[in-house]
Amino acid sequence: MKTEVVFICRECEAKLLKWMGRCPHCGQWNSIEERVSQVAPKGIARQNEDKLGPVPVDEISYDRRPRLSTGIDELDRALGGGIVRRSVILVGGDPGIGKSTLLTQALGTMSKQGERVLYVSGEESLEQIKIRADRLGISSRSFLVVAENDLERIQELIKTTDASVVVLDSAQSVSCQSVDSYPGSVSQVRHVAACAIETIKKSRSACFLVGHVTKDGALAGPKVLEHMVDTVLYFEGDRGHPYRILRAVKNRFGSVSEIGVFEMTDTGLSQVSNPSEFFLSDRPEGASGSVVTAIMEGSRPILAEIQALVSGPTPGSGRRTCLGVDPQRLALMVAVIEKKLGLALNDQDIFLNAVGGVRATEPGVDLGIVASVISSFSDRIIPFSSMIFGEVGLSGEVRPVAKAPARVNEAVRLGYTRVVGPKKNLDSCALPEGALFIPISHIREAPAILFDGG
Ligand SMILES: Nc1ncnc2c1ncn2[C@@H]1O[C@H](COP(=O)(O)OP(=O)(O)OP(=O)(O)O)[C@@H](O)[C@H]1O
Ligand SMILES: [Mg+2]
């Protein structure tokens, strides 16, 4: 086969004739890498090339067995209801976040249900895997483990083991001798993933492919894998806190809006089936700037605390810092507050935090943001039993949001008796005795409503 050396930008995939320090197409520095085209992966789409031309869609048969449950509800939920056979699921996440732990636990429960499972580790020894399995309380004869990082051997193992589920931990630690670059480089990772995917699609196994994410997200390259796999899950969390969120960012077989919530403990990850309670467990009482709002994560409402700290005045324009909240959204809300309520926020530093690593990025949190900023700026406390939700438009109007009854019910379930929400959502929400829905149609009304009668 003819070999050809090409230079490709790993950011924008542009093809160049020679190496350059900076990609002329996307402007990224140090993103050009050399690839030898002879060993370029065949491409998954070509797996059917030995078949005869196109076939009528009616004649295509597929495995109609139900999805395979991982035995971990929160993981099944993020996957859209379990593992689809022969699918490839990329699990990305920061180093040490708990990817190996999660997948070892999932294989552990599946092997207990009688499934034959295979854990291929390219970065840990058999002893290390055994220590983890012991800590997680896993022991099973159908849980097979191998420490291997040669791609061809792994492909052979996948074929011969005939496991229901294979974990390949990680894409970065496996290499193929025919690719002329070091393990973990983007060309190696891409080649490894393409070959592993091809092997999986021809086998009867499903595969979890672990991908490391570095701080800049570049070197490790799970981004380049996203379009190749069927499902992409990101395991997120702050290592200073025990909670972890498993988020689907792509799913060919399900919704991407579902999340799974876990807590990291000495004996592994435990599921958090009541995330609202979990995220609100350490909420300070009597603190200005603290507001509880309801966020929809797929079909699930999650109550979360938004905290604002407005401090100033500072010389010049104030800084805006957001954690878990879209900075654009904060900028917009601040502009609306200034214009419609006449609060002078220009020279104030504003820090906004969605507590617990929650991502409060949907429009339903607007009113919560507005309330927390006003509360902190005026140093007035919003009653502890309040839950505040609603979208805020540019003229200060409070707009109705989707799934208002689900949000309100979640608040009532957790004992929040004072719900402040869009007037247009009032009719659809039925509250039990003792709980109150206070409708609001413009943020002009907010100062009087939020602080219980002004
Ligand atoms: N003995 C232990 N007790 C409690 N927690 C532990 C213990 N050992 C490990 N952990 C937790 O597990 C985490 C590491 O989990 P794991 O090895 O699954 O992460 P990972 O995402 O696979 O990491 P890597 O990127 O290095 O492969 C640690 O950060 C720690 O929180
Ligand atoms: Mg690991």
Side-chain angles (χ1 to χ4, degrees):
M1 199 195 297
K2 213 176 118 198
T3 59
E4 184 197 10
V5 175
V6 288
F7 297 89
I8 293 184
C9 170
R10 65 169 170 253
E11 291 297 319
C12 69
E13 302 274 304
K15 212 167 168 180
L16 308 175
L17 293 174
K18 61 179 172 88
W19 190 87
M20 289 181 183
R22 187 181 191 191
C23 173
H25 297 271
C26 66
Q28 183 72 27
W29 289 95
N30 284 331
S31 64
I32 311 296
E33 55 179 30
E34 188 177 326
R35 279 189 217 158
V36 183
S37 67
Q38 178 205 345
V39 290
K42 270 205 305 181
I44 311 136
R46 287 172 59 194
Q47 62 179 301
N48 290 332
E49 64 189 3
D50 45 345
K51 309 235 167 67
L52 289 173
V55 288
V57 71
D58 293 358
E59 287 173 21
I60 303 171
S61 60
Y62 64 93
D63 192 341
R64 287 178 191 269
R65 282 177 298 167
R67 291 178 184 223
L68 196 62
S69 167
T70 61
I72 301 177
D73 293 346
E74 293 291 304
L75 176 56
D76 283 349
R77 177 198 291 277
L79 287 170
I83 305 173
V84 172
R85 287 161 213 270
R86 293 195 182 84
S87 68
V88 179
I89 303 147
L90 176 68
V91 180
D94 289 340
I97 202 76
K99 302 177 291 294
S100 308
T101 308
L102 175 71
L103 296 176
T104 307
Q105 280 182 250
L107 290 197
T109 43
M110 280 188 276
S111 65
K112 250 188 225 155
Q113 291 160 6
E115 299 289 344
R116 192 178 166 79
V117 295
L118 173 66
Y119 191 102
V120 183
S121 180
E123 44 194 47
E124 288 169 311
S125 66
L126 291 179
E127 290 79 20
Q128 287 172 317
I129 299 167
K130 172 71 178 156
I131 292 169
R132 180 184 289 116
D134 279 349
R135 183 163 58 86
L136 303 175
I138 293 164
S139 95
S140 167
R141 290 206 67 77
S142 56
F143 190 140
L144 306 171
V145 182
V146 60
E148 180 61 68
N149 47 22
D150 180 68
L151 178 66
E152 276 158 24
R153 273 275 300 145
I154 293 172
Q155 285 178 293
E156 204 48 49
L157 280 168
I158 294 174
K159 281 182 206 153
T160 53
T161 313
D162 194 31
S164 311
V165 180
V166 177
V167 167
L168 187 51
D169 188 1
S170 63
Q172 280 83 9
S173 62
V174 175
S175 60
C176 177
Q177 308 211 327
S178 57
V179 177
D180 188 21
S181 66
Y182 56 91
S185 69
V186 174
S187 38
Q188 275 282 9
V189 170
R190 194 194 300 256
H191 179 70
V192 165
C195 294
I197 291 167
E198 197 174 338
T199 310
I200 289 292
K201 298 278 168 187
K202 285 180 182 161
S203 75
R204 53 159 229 116
S205 315
C207 178
F208 283 101
L209 187 62
V210 175
H212 295 294
V213 185
T214 50
K215 275 283 166 259
D216 58 1
L219 174 77
K223 287 275 172 216
V224 304
L225 305 181
E226 282 186 4
H227 70 279
M228 302 166 79
V229 297
D230 299 307
T231 303
V232 180
L233 301 180
Y234 272 91
F235 206 31
E236 302 169 350
D238 180 359
R239 263 190 280 168
H241 291 98
Y243 47 77
R244 303 281 183 266
I245 295 177
L246 189 65
R247 195 181 292 278
V249 295
K250 162 180 169 176
N251 195 349
R252 285 183 179 150
F253 314 109
S255 144
V256 288
S257 48
E258 301 293 347
I259 62 163
V261 185
F262 297 88
E263 183 183 3
M264 178 63 93
T265 67
D266 291 355
T267 50
L269 291 155
S270 65
Q271 305 185 59
V272 177
S273 42
N274 254 327
S276 302
E277 279 169 34
F278 191 72
F279 289 128
L280 295 176
S281 57
D282 294 327
R283 194 179 164 218
E285 231 171 300
S288 66
S290 160
V291 165
V292 168
T293 189
I295 304 160
M296 290 308 297
E297 286 282 8
S299 57
R300 205 154 52 152
I302 292 182
L303 294 197
E305 182 191 354
I306 306 246
Q307 288 183 343
L309 179 68
V310 180
S311 74
T314 52
S317 304
R319 264 185 306 159
R320 310 281 185 249
T321 310
C322 290
L323 274 176
V325 181
D326 181 6
Q328 308 270 31
R329 191 141 239 132
L330 172 65
L332 221 121
M333 291 305 118
V334 168
V336 175
I337 296 171
E338 287 188 316
K339 182 90 181 162
K340 301 294 168 190
L341 294 177
L343 303 188
L345 296 171
N346 189 38
D347 58 355
Q348 303 282 326
D349 286 338
I350 302 179
F351 305 91
L352 200 67
N353 183 19
V355 182
V358 184
R359 271 207 230 156
T361 47
E362 58 131 348
V365 302
D366 287 355
L367 195 60
I369 297 175
V370 168
S372 62
V373 170
I374 301 175
S375 164
S376 177
F377 180 71
S378 58
D379 204 16
R380 292 168 75 190
I381 298 156
I382 292 174
F384 196 72
S385 59
S386 308
M387 190 283 274
I388 298 167
F389 75 103
E391 183 177 350
V392 176
L394 286 186
S395 29
E397 80 279 14
V398 179
R399 294 159 173 262
V401 295
K403 303 201 173 120
R407 298 177 206 242
V408 171
N409 291 342
E410 179 74 352
V412 170
R413 192 178 71 77
L414 291 179
Y416 289 85
T417 50
R418 203 173 162 274
V419 175
V420 180
K423 194 170 185 178
K424 289 198 175 135
N425 282 135
L426 176 66
D427 291 341
S428 63
C429 301
L431 271 83
E433 193 124 335
L436 191 65
F437 189 115
I438 307 170
I440 176 166
S441 51
H442 195 279
I443 65 162
R444 217 182 295 116
E445 304 151 25
I449 289 176
L450 294 176
F451 308 107
D452 208 8

